[in-house]
Amino acid sequence: QVLDEVYVYGSFLQSRMHAAGVTCSDCHQPHPLKLRADGDALCATCHVALRYAGRQHHRHDPADEGARCVACHMPATTYMGVDPRHDHSFRIPRPDLSVELGVSNACSGCHADRDAAWAATQVADWRDGKPATPGYPRHARALAAASQGLPDARNALLEVAFDHGQSAIARASAIVALGAWLDRGVVETLAASLKDPDPLVRRATAEALAATPPMIRTQLLPARLNDPVRDVRQAAAVSLSQLPLDSLDPAVNDALSVALADYRATLHLDADRAEAQHNLGVLLANLGDLGGAEAAYLKAMAIEPGYAPASVNLSDLLRESGREEEAGELLERALSNAPEEGMLHHTRGLWLVRQQQRDVALAALQRATELEPDNARFGYVLAVGLHGAGQVDAALAEIDRVLARWPYDRDSLAAAVIWRQQLGVATSPYDERLLELQRLARGR
């Protein structure tokens, strides 16, 4: 659904209307952008008014605002106090998913004095206790499971990724999330999606496969360097750019050079944006041009001093080049420009650890978790730091906090089990979860 500064078009790509061939200009006049009809009359140009305009369908007083089609199927979110944006996924309200997963729903948007459980009960009563209508988008549970690292996320994501009755953007999102489960079975299955008819799916697959071993990338990705869609060609090229050029077939090398040149030209079009300079820096670092990468990162920081990814990547580059002192100074400057960026505090904390300034390092790592409490890695690293400093109780408390949010985070589970064993605790609440992950890994 529409969230923060996202494109409304992203929600439309998820809709059944888009899948059926409906386009923007079916509802909006192309030049003045005005609607082609007012209110529910616009929806009635395709949908039978007698079926949907009655109380039996919308369950509201016909004179009430809640009876309008857009109230339930296109809830609006207002940004900056002046910019109302209607969600264009046209989904069926699912307050039951709000209760289960914490997602928003149209009912609670209007009935702000009632919680999602009340709305879910109302819908269940209307349906005489029958299960809620699932609607067209069916990816919520899979992506929610992936966000928590749950063991069943892998298969749920695969199901969404290869459900051709779902929108391409949902399938592509599932494939990107599968990057955390790149075992042999997933890779073999994803190989087929490189030939999917939709470029969003092909691009997502090329990006996900960037984390696979070089042999797999050289087998699967070269064909996409000649994809008819530029975005897919560039995604494949970036995923291959980390490999030594002399490891590739000469013909592949030629196609890769063309695709990378195209990608760099694309970045040049947005050269006044920090993101483009950062992405150029990443590419040049992949290609071994560390001087060029450093220059690109510095440009990104000059354009937007608070842009944390460029500062973090440049500090890593400096560290790898043996320029530790410069890396520390860089992070200090970056934090003065963006003191609320958890990523910068985390990176500085790791730098302080290398300088053996343990107490200051722990304070920086702690601040990172305060700013980004939903980052499992930040919490795990802080716990390791606390444990190394002899603060065992604090370390266990932090690892418990992480596992309360991500119950199957492998590194955190391993730490929780080992640390308790060291204290003489024979079993812990996490032993079975860790064994479950190990059994699943062996099974694949």
Side-chain angles (χ1 to χ4, degrees):
Q1 300 174 66
V2 168
L3 176 68
D4 297 331
E5 294 299 317
V6 298
Y7 287 110
V8 170
Y9 187 58
S11 62
F12 182 58
L13 290 179
Q14 301 173 53
S15 70
R16 174 170 280 169
M17 292 171 69
H18 176 266
V22 174
T23 66
C24 303
S25 59
D26 286 317
C27 297
H28 299 268
Q29 298 176 33
H31 297 292
L33 306 182
K34 294 180 179 179
L35 293 173
R36 292 189 178 277
D38 294 329
D40 292 350
L42 178 62
C43 305
T45 58
C46 291
H47 300 281
V48 180
L50 289 177
R51 179 177 178 182
Y52 296 105
R55 184 187 287 270
Q56 185 63 28
H57 176 72
H58 54 63
R59 307 286 180 163
H60 288 77
D61 185 327
D64 190 38
E65 188 69 18
R68 294 191 58 211
C69 302
V70 296
C72 289
H73 302 294
M74 296 185 70
T77 303
T78 301
Y79 297 97
M80 298 173 287
V82 295
D83 184 16
R85 299 182 187 178
H86 286 276
D87 187 274
H88 278 60
S89 56
F90 304 102
R91 63 185 74 216
I92 295 170
R94 291 291 303 275
D96 58 309
L97 288 182
S98 300
V99 174
E100 179 184 345
L101 305 176
V103 297
S104 60
N105 73 87
C107 307
S108 298
C110 287
H111 299 278
D113 58 330
R114 306 292 190 106
D115 60 16
W118 169 84
T121 300
Q122 286 291 114
V123 173
D125 288 346
W126 293 341
R127 297 184 56 79
D128 295 325
K130 296 176 184 176
T133 302
Y136 179 64
R138 295 188 296 274
H139 53 266
R141 289 190 177 93
L143 293 181
S147 73
Q148 298 177 63
L150 300 183
D152 58 352
R154 173 189 181 273
N155 292 339
L157 290 170
L158 283 171
E159 185 176 339
V160 172
F162 291 92
D163 180 357
H164 291 273
Q166 283 296 283
S167 64
I169 191 171
R171 294 174 56 220
S173 298
I175 288 171
V176 170
L178 277 167
W181 283 271
L182 287 176
D183 56 58
R184 178 181 298 179
V186 168
V187 171
E188 290 175 352
T189 306
L190 286 184
S193 64
L194 284 170
K195 299 178 182 179
D196 193 271
D198 196 283
L200 282 177
V201 174
R202 299 198 302 275
R203 173 198 166 146
T205 306
E207 290 180 343
L209 292 175
T212 58
M215 183 181 299
I216 293 175
R217 275 178 278 168
T218 55
Q219 280 181 324
L220 299 179
L221 291 177
R224 295 279 62 87
L225 294 173
N226 296 308
D227 195 278
V229 175
R230 179 187 293 116
D231 209 23
V232 180
R233 296 196 299 271
Q234 293 179 359
V238 171
S239 294
L240 287 168
S241 67
Q242 304 167 36
L243 306 180
L245 295 182
D246 56 10
S247 69
L248 300 173
D249 181 272
V252 173
N253 233 326
D254 291 342
L256 177 59
S257 297
V258 172
L260 287 177
D262 199 17
Y263 179 55
R264 292 181 68 163
T266 300
L267 294 176
H268 182 70
L269 288 173
D270 291 326
D272 59 339
R273 295 184 62 84
E275 294 92 333
Q277 294 294 343
H278 167 261
N279 291 341
L280 176 60
V282 172
L283 174 64
L284 293 175
N286 288 347
L287 296 173
D289 182 0
L290 301 187
E294 181 176 347
Y297 290 142
L298 288 171
K299 283 185 180 178
M301 295 164 62
I303 293 169
E304 190 176 334
Y307 187 67
S311 300
V312 169
N313 279 1
L314 180 53
S315 71
D316 287 343
L317 188 153
L318 294 173
R319 172 180 57 82
E320 292 166 2
S321 303
R323 298 156 64 185
E324 279 280 12
E325 186 175 346
E326 290 181 59
E329 293 171 353
L330 167 73
L331 291 170
E332 288 283 357
R333 291 196 304 273
L335 277 168
S336 68
N337 291 313
E340 301 300 305
E341 281 285 353
M343 185 190 305
L344 290 174
H345 286 278
H346 179 77
T347 307
R348 181 171 177 268
L350 296 178
W351 181 85
L352 289 165
V353 168
R354 295 194 297 273
Q355 310 313 306
Q356 300 183 351
Q357 299 181 42
R358 176 176 286 173
D359 291 343
V360 188
L362 287 176
L365 295 174
Q366 177 70 52
R367 183 59 178 151
T369 63
E370 292 169 355
L371 291 168
E372 296 190 29
D374 284 340
N375 190 310
R377 190 67 186 174
F378 289 2
Y380 166 74
V381 171
L382 172 61
V384 170
L386 291 167
H387 193 270
Q391 301 180 40
V392 177
D393 289 343
L396 289 172
E398 178 61 25
I399 215 73
D400 287 346
R401 183 193 71 80
V402 173
L403 289 169
R405 170 65 177 81
W406 299 272
Y408 285 88
D409 183 70
R410 184 182 295 274
D411 289 338
S412 297
L413 278 175
V417 170
I418 292 170
W419 294 343
R420 281 175 168 80
Q421 288 175 348
Q422 291 171 347
L423 292 173
V425 179
T427 59
S428 76
Y430 308 122
D431 290 39
E432 184 54 38
R433 289 188 213 165
L434 189 59
L435 288 172
E436 184 181 354
L437 289 179
Q438 292 169 347
R439 286 194 297 267
L440 287 170
R442 287 195 297 271
R444 294 196 288 267

